């Protein structure tokens, strides 16, 4: 049985442990799990970089589980870290105030792991969730991506029979870094083709990536973007070549690589579309249940 102390990297999740989370996420969705698991538990959400999906879904997940969500939008400015208070003192204060879980997004690679180390060293009992650290990892996004695939291509995923592609800015994509680990745990082939067109007819699961402009230190950003969109746009031609049962995923926010007309393509699973037979089968809705399942599993671990 899976036990989760912290969620720091995609590498910590075996296929078996992911399957347990996916089954629990489905049970939550179907109303078959008791959902007061976070009653009287405090969860601190620190989002030092912009976020729509991760932040909202964690906040809603905590509230639906009966917990208290406390939201801070910047570690350095809004907490006393701004007055030179050390991280150790900050984490100890959180423990003293009954905070049980911290989900943190931060531009600094490794900060969630550092907070986890502090919590463990002083036996503070706070679990840390990495909600995206710089260009390093974003494990809960990667897990919800696999969950989205598992809900439709279960057998092939579990038998390692899919070809999963990450297309775009792999170097700076924390989604791709975590995603490669969690998909690979199932033995599926994970590829990173040099353009969308190159491997279109082989790919079962498309993970399109945005151009991470905030991570670039190049002068001519506009020409880098132009080159990027030439290679990685999901054009009509690419969609025509793609398999009829392929799945198009994108962690978003989107850029021109994902034209609006793709939203009507029945193979897309990145955004809700009420013209689809199951509009709720999309990464964002799935992310809510998956994050609820993670929060429950963390609390179960302490019993
Ligand atoms: N996928 C993702 O992390 O989106 P947000 O940046 O909106 O949270």
């Amino acid at each position: 049985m899976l036990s989760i102390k912290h969620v720091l990297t995609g590498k910590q999740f075996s296929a078996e442990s992911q399957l347990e989370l996916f089954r629990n996420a489905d049970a939550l969705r179907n109303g078959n799990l008791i959902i007061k698991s976070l009653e009287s538990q405090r969860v601190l959400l620190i989002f030092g970089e912009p976020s729509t999906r991760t932040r909202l879904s964690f906040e809603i997940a905590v509230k639906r589980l009966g917990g208290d969500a406390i939201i801070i939008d910047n570690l350095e400015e809004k907490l006393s870290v701004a007055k030179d208070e050390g991280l150790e003192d900050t984490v100890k204060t959180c423990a003293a105030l009954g905070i049980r879980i911290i989900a943190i997004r931060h531009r600094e690679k490794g900060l969630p792991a550092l907070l986890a180390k502090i919590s463990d060293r002083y036996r503070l009992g706070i679990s840390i969730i990495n909600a995206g650290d710089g260009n390093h990892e974003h494990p809960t996004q990667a897990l919800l991506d696999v969950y989205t695939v598992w809900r439709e291509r279960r057998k092939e995923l579990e038998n390692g029979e899919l070809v999963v592609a990450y297309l775009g800015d792999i170097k700076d994509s924390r989604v791709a870094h975590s995603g490669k680990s969690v998909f690979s745990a199932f033995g599926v082939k994970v590829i990173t083709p040099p353009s969308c067109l190159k491997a279109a007819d082989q790919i079962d699961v498309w993970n399109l990536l945005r151009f991470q402009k905030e991570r670039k230190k190049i002068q001519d950003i506009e020409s880098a973007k132009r080159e990027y969109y030439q290679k990685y746009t999901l054009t009509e031609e690419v969609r025509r070549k793609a398999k009829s049962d392929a799945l198009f995923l994108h962690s978003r926010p989107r850029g021109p690589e994902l034209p609006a007309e793709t939203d009507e393509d029945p193979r897309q699973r990145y955004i809700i579309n009420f013209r689809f037979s199951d509009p709720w089968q999309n990464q964002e809705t799935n992310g809510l249940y998956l994050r609820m399942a993670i929060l429950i599993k963390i609390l179960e671990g302490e019993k």
Side-chain angles (χ1 to χ4, degrees), residues 2-5 100 295-303:
L2 166 68
S3 158
I4 302 180
K5 193 169 187 190
R100 177 61 191 83
L295 292 167
I296 290 175
K297 195 43 85 177
I298 286 174
L299 290 180
E300 272 180 13
E302 70 182 6
K303 282 177 193 156

Side-chain angles (χ1 to χ4, degrees), residues 47-166:
F47 276 77
E49 280 192 328
S51 169
T52 301
R53 282 144 283 271
T54 314
R55 176 177 162 159
L56 282 178
S57 60
F58 266 122
E59 183 177 354
I60 295 166
V62 171
K63 288 178 175 166
R64 283 187 71 173
L65 293 169
D68 278 341
I70 301 148
I71 302 153
I72 288 180
D73 62 11
N74 194 320
L75 182 69
E76 287 86 354
E77 285 171 21
K78 297 292 186 318
L79 291 180
S80 287
V81 173
K83 295 181 276 183
D84 296 331
E85 182 162 63
L87 282 177
E88 290 196 359
D89 280 9
T90 305
V91 181
K92 284 179 185 173
T93 300
C94 289
L97 296 175
I99 288 167
R100 177 61 191 83
I101 297 172
I102 298 176
I104 180 163
R105 169 168 295 190
H106 200 275
R107 65 177 182 283
E108 199 177 314
K109 171 183 170 174
L111 187 67
L114 178 61
L115 299 184
K117 220 178 249 179
I118 293 170
S119 174
D120 292 348
R121 186 185 308 142
Y122 296 104
R123 300 183 187 185
L124 302 176
I126 297 180
S127 291
I128 307 296
I129 300 175
N130 180 358
D133 60 335
N135 65 359
H136 185 220
E137 292 239 19
H138 191 355
T140 64
Q141 175 69 45
L143 289 166
L144 76 86
D145 295 341
V146 187
Y147 175 48
T148 300
V149 174
W150 176 79
R151 282 175 52 76
E152 292 189 57
R153 309 284 295 265
R154 192 164 303 192
K155 238 186 172 160
E156 292 152 288
L157 176 72
E158 292 183 16
N159 291 337
E161 288 164 358
L162 296 173
V163 175
V164 176
Y166 280 88

Side-chain angles (χ1 to χ4, degrees), residues 7-27:
V7 178
L8 300 175
T9 165
K11 294 186 192 81
Q12 74 188 76
F13 292 95
S14 64
E16 225 18 77
S17 62
Q18 290 184 57
L19 290 174
E20 190 177 333
L21 284 175
F22 301 163
R23 289 188 205 107
N24 289 349
D26 266 7

